[in-house]
Each structure stands twice: as structure tokens, then as C-alpha cells.
Amino acid sequence: MGVDGVIGEDEGLRRRGCSCGKDDFLPEESFKSWGNYVQALKETPNRFMNRVLTRSLDSTELHEIKARSQHEMKKNLSWWDLIWFGIGAVIGSGIFVLTGLQAQQVSGPAVVLSFVVSGVSAMLSVFCYTEFAVEIPVAGGSFAYLRVELGDFIAYIAAGNILLEYVIGGAAVARSWTSYFATLCSHDSDDFVIIVHSMPDDYSKLDPIAVVVVCVICVLAVLSTKGSSRFNYIASIIHVIVILFIIIAGFTKADTKNYSNFAPFGVRGIFKSSAVLFFAYVGFDAVSTMAEETKNPAHDIPIGLVGSMAITTAAYCLLSVVLCLMQPYPKIDKDAPFSVAFEAVGMSWAKYVVAAGALKGMTTVLLVGAVGQARYLTHIARTHMLPPWLAQIHPKTGTPINATIVMLIATAIIAFFTDLKILADLLSISTLFIFLLVALALIVRRYYVSGETSTTDRIILITCLILILGSSIATATYWGVSENNDWVAYVITMPIWFLATAGIAVFIPQARKPKVWGVPLVPWLPSLSIAINIFLLGSINGASFKRFGIWTCVLLLYYFFFGLHASYDTAKELGENRIGDGWKRVEEGQSVSTVTASGVSLDEAK
């Protein structure tokens, strides 16, 4: 339920159902007239500071924010569903496409170590996600977690990159789907695309099949979450059988001579591949967005997330070993590596099995991604940072139809134009950036509670976090810009990271213990996650960072002209924009009614 004074409005919204009027897009006070909007723009600096300093509450995300969707999502998922969703979300084009490119041109047979490094980073992020997902089981995933611990503005920037991650990830998988479909039909992948020579090379191959696939996935995603789960379950079982076939049949054709030059591109090549192959692990965060639809989040989410990631990492390592044992790394095909490898060892028929399995895998990746991205967008829209029309839940299907359709339209447009390599690099930046923020938020959650953490402890915590981030950035920057393998700089930066993490562990008492399930080895585990994620960022090319910067500028433009004022008005209406002592009491965890009763009225808070 909402706060007193807005319940009636919420009930009116519920009566309307899934509507589509002006008030569904810009219902806030700042957009009622041009005069109001001009006044809002004048107040931008004050409003911005308010949103930067405002932190949400667990209870707010769980109740007030969730209630803005008008209808509840159906709780019908178990840990078994989540494991298969995790497998279905992750094992797709990353292994079936990018492995060939990276093994051939960047890391050689040592690509297996690249998968290990990426897998360790992903597993550390999984642990960070699980604690939040258990205690804040809402559809917003990392967006909701960051709102609670790092504030509205940081959450918004992360949210924009979450959406970019899903759109680009879906587009990349859809284009890979076309490549393997061509293999299944005994055609070259270019036979199924439209080549426009007047356009830049990276955008000249138009892919209509990818658009059709995305549209079919959209229909499945909006009908039913449980139905999507059943489809994913069946498709993932077939996928796992194909993976087992590839591993077993591949080992029968293995030639150890192909491993004689294990790391032809050196250590640098291994880490460069790790940064790109992190794309292969993207998707597990979609499972955390299903917490709102999980029967028993405290029990099911840790099993689902950690279990699916462990299975996925083992499968990736075995598949990459098999590929490099079957063919010398220079001869590995970069577009359909496994299919061509089987053809090269005299098992031409097997390439059709591989192609069919890859198509199954990529289909489930698209489906789980569609389910996850819609739930992210739904929760973001609940805060009015995006139009609340996107937060509506359909009363019959119990799914966010508007958000699903909008996200998949964006995915289809990008899939139609953009080359896979551009998508993979840009996707890795967004994902690594979000994961390091979640790890940072977990440390803040454990060691800082307003009203309980002393000023001295807060200063030590901030200092240590700055040193952790600074030393990690310095390590990654030096790795990225240096041409040789000089290790002197690391002797300085790595001990700083270690001492800063030790400073948190030794000198600051934990202000908050997890209620049900907690990440082990805090602060070491999340601190290591921050360091690895930043290090992998240092291995990504500069052009991808330019595209990332352009996207961030677009996000900021929308935020300062629309999102900031809409979310500010909504928070003001619900009494969340508190100042002075009232705001401090809210940070300490008191409810809206408690703050109002203690002498800070909603009008004063406004």
C-alpha cells in the first residue's frame, strides 16, 4: 500500500488497468504546465542534491514502490526454476561464437584460463547479488539495491547501463542466432543478411531474421513467467544434452599437439579475452530480478544463482578445452567454431547437432533476458525515473507487458544494424561497471548504518573505499596503457588494495548483519570483486569506452530534463524528500508514519 494521501490515487490507477494516457507518461506536478516545468528546471541544482543524498529503505522498495505497478506479480518460481533460468540465461552466444574469435586472435588455447578468470569474477558478483536479492526480493534487482545503499543518482546511472546491457546482450545473441541458423541450413551467415555497402562496415549487414526471433520471444515473455520457465526448462535440457555431446565427442577427436603452444599471446592475451568473454556470463543478474516471483527467496535465490553459475563455469571451461584440442588455434573458425571444428575432424554431421544446440541455447538466453530486462525496467519506472506507464502489470498475465514490448523493440532495432564485436565489447563495460557498484554497495550495507556507525568509523570506511577503488583503477590503467610486462607498479597498487581492505575488516565493526543469508568473507570477497571487475575494464579497447561515454551523456541529458524532476515530485508526494533531522531518522530505518508523528509533517518535509 502507499502512504496516506496517495492511496486513493493508486486505487484509481488500479481501476484503469493498463491504460495509455498523458498521465501514464508524465503525471508529475513538474509537467502539468510549461510554467511548472520552467520552475522545475530552475530548481535543478537543489533537486539534484536532494536525489544524490536520498537513500531508499528496504521496506520502501518492498512495499510502497512495488505497489505502484497496480497488480502483483505471481509467486510461482522455485530454486529449480531459477537454476534452469540461470543456465538458460547464460549459456548462449558467448561460448558458441566469442570463444572462436578469442581463441584464434587473442588468447589461443589459454582461452580456458580466460574463462576461469571471467568465471571467478562472475561468481564473486553472484555472491554479492544473492545477499541483496534475499533481503530485498523485488523486480528491480541491482537498481533497487543501489537505491537503498548508494542513493538515487548512482542507481539511475547504473539503471541506464543495466538497460543498455540487456538491449545489447539481446541484440548480440539475436545476431548470433542468425549465424548458427545459416550453419544449420548449410549456408554462409552472409546469405541471410542484407548488405548495404553505403553504410559503415560495422553497421552494414542488416539482419531481418534477428528481428523476427526477437518478436517471437516477445510474445512468449508477455504471456506468462511460469510458461516461460517451462519452455526454458525443456529447451535448456536439450541444450545440456548437446553440450555433453560436444564435450564427449570432442574429446574422442582430441589431439594434444594442439596444446603445444598453450599461450601464444601471453598473459596479456588471457586477460584481454577475459574482459570480452565476460559477455559469456552475462545474464545471471536476470535471475535476481525474478526474486519478486520466487516462492521462498531466502532459500531459492542462493541455490539458484550459485548453482547455475557453478554449472555454467564448468561447462565453459570444458567446451573451450575441447575446441582447442580438436583444432590448432589459428584454424578455429571465428563465427561458428564448434561446427567447423567437427567438420575438420571428419564429423560433418555433428555440425548440425551443434548448430541446433546453439540455437536452443541462444533462444533461452533471449527469453530469460527478455523476462529480466522487463522487470528491471518495471521497477525503474515505479520510481518515476522513467514513465510510470512502463511499470504497469497486466492483471491477467501478471507480467509487465509494456516494459517487455518496449525493451524488445529496442533490442530488435539494434540487432538489425549492429555487428557482434561492437556489441560484445560495449556490453562487457556496462556489465562490469554495474557489478563493481553492487560489490561496493554490499560493503556499505554491512559497515554503514546511519545513526549507528560512528563518525570515526564512517571516515575510515570512506577512506578505505577510496583507496580500494583508487588502487584498483591504478592497476587497471597501468595494465591497459603499458606495452611491457613491468611489474613495479603492481608492487605499489596491490598492497594498497590489501591494506585498505584489511583496514575495513580490522578497524570497523559490522553495523548490519544479514538476516537470513549472507556473503562469506566480507569485506574481502566484495573488495576482490571490485578489483577484478575494474581490472577487466582496463583490458577493453578505447573505442568501446567512447561509446560508453556517449551513452552516459544521453542518460544524463534525460535525467536532468525529465527523470530528476519526475522522481523528485514522486518522492515529495510520498514524503520521501526529507531534510534535517527528519531525513536522518528515515535513514535510521523509521517508517513514514513514525517520522510524521515525531514532528516532521509531510508538508514540512516537502
Side-chain angles (χ1 to χ4, degrees):
M1 297 299 294
V3 180
D4 292 343
V6 294
I7 295 176
E9 181 182 343
D10 285 345
E11 288 176 348
L13 286 170
R14 290 188 183 96
R15 284 195 298 270
R16 280 208 309 270
C18 288
S19 58
C20 187
K22 176 185 177 297
D23 285 346
D24 294 301
F25 290 89
L26 293 171
E28 299 82 17
E29 187 64 30
S30 293
F31 305 103
K32 294 293 184 184
S33 68
W34 280 107
N36 286 11
Y37 184 57
V38 171
Q39 182 60 34
L41 291 179
K42 290 179 180 178
E43 296 175 5
T44 294
N46 290 334
R47 292 186 173 200
F48 176 64
M49 288 305 300
N50 176 282
R51 302 321 295 158
V52 167
L53 295 175
T54 298
R55 294 161 60 208
S56 184
L57 298 169
D58 291 14
S59 58
T60 301
E61 299 297 316
L62 288 167
H63 302 294
E64 284 92 341
I65 300 295
K66 191 167 73 171
R68 296 175 192 171
S69 283
Q70 307 170 23
H71 301 281
E72 291 280 342
M73 294 186 188
K74 297 176 181 178
K75 290 183 176 293
N76 50 20
L77 301 179
S78 67
W79 65 267
W80 184 252
D81 294 307
L82 296 181
I83 281 184
W84 285 103
F85 260 128
I87 293 172
V90 176
I91 301 181
S93 60
I95 183 65
F96 288 112
V97 176
L98 293 180
T99 306
L101 176 65
Q102 295 302 309
Q104 183 204 74
Q105 300 180 3
V106 185
S107 55
V111 68
V112 63
L113 297 183
S114 301
F115 272 116
V116 170
V117 173
S118 298
V120 169
S121 178
M123 184 62 82
L124 292 174
S125 297
V126 162
F127 276 110
C128 296
Y129 265 81
T130 51
E131 182 169 326
F132 279 113
V134 166
E135 298 201 356
I136 313 175
V138 294
S142 53
F143 171 72
Y145 315 151
L146 295 175
R147 252 174 63 86
V148 169
E149 298 304 332
L150 300 183
D152 259 27
F153 180 66
I154 297 297
Y156 171 79
I157 296 299
N161 283 285
I162 289 165
L163 298 179
L164 180 67
E165 168 195 327
Y166 274 109
V167 169
I168 288 178
V173 174
R175 288 190 74 96
S176 299
W177 201 100
T178 302
S179 296
Y180 270 91
F181 180 70
T183 301
L184 193 63
C185 298
S186 299
H187 280 266
D188 185 81
S189 58
D190 284 350
D191 293 343
F192 290 93
V193 300
I194 302 168
I195 300 177
V196 181
H197 296 288
S198 60
M199 296 179 68
D201 290 342
D202 291 333
Y203 305 94
S204 63
K205 295 182 178 180
L206 309 184
D207 193 339
I209 291 179
V211 175
V212 173
V213 171
V214 170
C215 291
V216 172
I217 291 298
C218 181
V219 174
L220 289 173
V222 301
L223 289 178
S224 165
T225 304
K226 189 63 178 179
S228 298
S229 175
R230 292 192 184 103
F231 176 83
N232 171 74
Y233 176 60
I234 296 169
S236 294
I237 289 176
I238 297 172
H239 194 199
V240 168
I241 292 171
V242 172
I243 288 173
L244 290 174
F245 165 78
I246 294 172
I247 293 171
I248 296 170
F251 273 123
T252 65
K253 299 294 183 178
D255 185 353
T256 55
K257 291 179 182 178
N258 294 331
Y259 256 47
S260 59
N261 189 8
F262 181 69
F265 302 96
V267 175
R268 190 170 293 275
I270 293 172
F271 282 103
K272 282 185 177 179
S273 283
S274 293
V276 175
L277 289 174
F278 199 86
F279 168 79
Y281 291 95
V282 170
F284 74 81
D285 51 335
V287 179
S288 70
T289 69
M290 298 174 197
E292 196 171 310
E293 297 159 272
T294 302
K295 296 175 184 176
N296 184 2
H299 173 265
D300 297 338
I301 290 173
I303 296 175
L305 276 170
V306 176
S308 59
M309 184 53 61
I311 293 169
T312 298
T313 302
Y316 280 175
C317 291
L318 288 171
L319 285 167
S320 60
V321 167
V322 164
L323 177 64
C324 294
L325 283 173
M326 290 173 69
Q327 269 192 303
Y329 76 88
K331 295 183 179 180
I332 293 174
D333 186 81
K334 62 184 180 64
D335 293 319
F338 289 95
S339 296
V340 174
F342 275 108
E343 192 169 15
V345 296
M347 296 177 65
S348 299
W349 58 271
K351 72 177 183 180
Y352 299 108
V353 177
V354 174
L359 288 178
K360 289 284 186 183
M362 286 183 268
T363 302
T364 58
V365 168
L366 283 169
L367 178 60
V368 179
V371 172
Q373 69 192 17
R375 279 139 188 81
Y376 264 126
L377 186 58
T378 297
H379 200 78
I380 295 165
R382 286 168 173 172
T383 68
H384 287 221
M385 288 186 189
L386 291 173
W389 176 78
L390 295 168
Q392 293 177 1
I393 304 297
H394 196 277
K396 293 183 179 179
T397 64
T399 59
I401 290 181
N402 298 344
T404 304
I405 293 173
V406 167
M407 288 297 289
L408 288 177
I409 287 174
T411 301
I413 291 172
I414 293 179
F416 187 55
F417 288 100
T418 314
D419 183 74
L420 176 63
K421 188 177 186 305
I422 289 178
L423 295 173
D425 285 345
L426 189 54
L427 176 64
S428 293
I429 292 181
S430 295
T431 305
L432 290 166
F433 175 68
I434 295 160
F435 289 172
L436 78 88
L437 285 179
V438 171
L440 180 66
L442 179 62
I443 296 177
V444 172
R445 183 173 181 83
R446 287 288 194 94
Y447 289 93
Y448 177 74
V449 174
S450 181
E452 296 182 18
T453 303
S454 67
T455 302
T456 301
D457 288 342
R458 185 173 70 245
I459 293 172
I460 295 173
L461 176 63
I462 293 172
T463 302
C464 289
L465 288 176
I466 291 173
L467 289 173
I468 288 171
L469 291 170
S471 60
S472 300
I473 292 171
T475 301
T477 302
Y478 184 74
W479 173 264
V481 300
S482 63
E483 296 296 332
N484 52 44
N485 293 319
D486 185 15
W487 48 267
V488 174
Y490 308 130
V491 174
I492 299 172
T493 59
M494 295 177 73
I496 291 175
W497 170 86
F498 178 86
L499 292 173
T501 307
I504 296 176
V506 173
F507 296 110
I508 308 175
Q510 288 197 26
R512 191 200 316 259
K513 299 287 185 180
K515 299 172 185 175
V516 181
W517 191 94
V519 176
L521 301 176
V522 174
W524 294 101
L525 190 150
S527 180
L528 183 60
S529 179
I530 291 171
I532 292 178
N533 287 330
I534 292 177
F535 185 77
L536 291 178
L537 282 170
S539 298
I540 296 175
N541 63 57
S544 295
F545 277 99
K546 290 179 183 178
R547 297 185 186 102
F548 177 77
I550 292 170
W551 173 245
T552 301
C553 289
V554 172
L555 290 177
L556 291 174
L557 285 174
Y558 175 84
Y559 184 71
F560 284 115
F561 282 99
F562 296 99
L564 167 63
H565 307 293
S567 61
Y568 177 86
D569 286 348
T570 303
K572 179 180 177 181
E573 184 178 359
L574 295 179
E576 294 175 8
N577 292 345
R578 292 172 186 80
I579 56 175
D581 293 338
W583 178 54
K584 180 179 179 181
R585 281 195 290 272
V586 171
E587 268 202 329
E588 293 168 2
Q590 295 187 30
S591 66
V592 173
S593 58
T594 305
V595 175
T596 305
S598 65
V600 182
S601 69
L602 294 182
D603 289 335
E604 291 171 338
K606 295 175 186 178

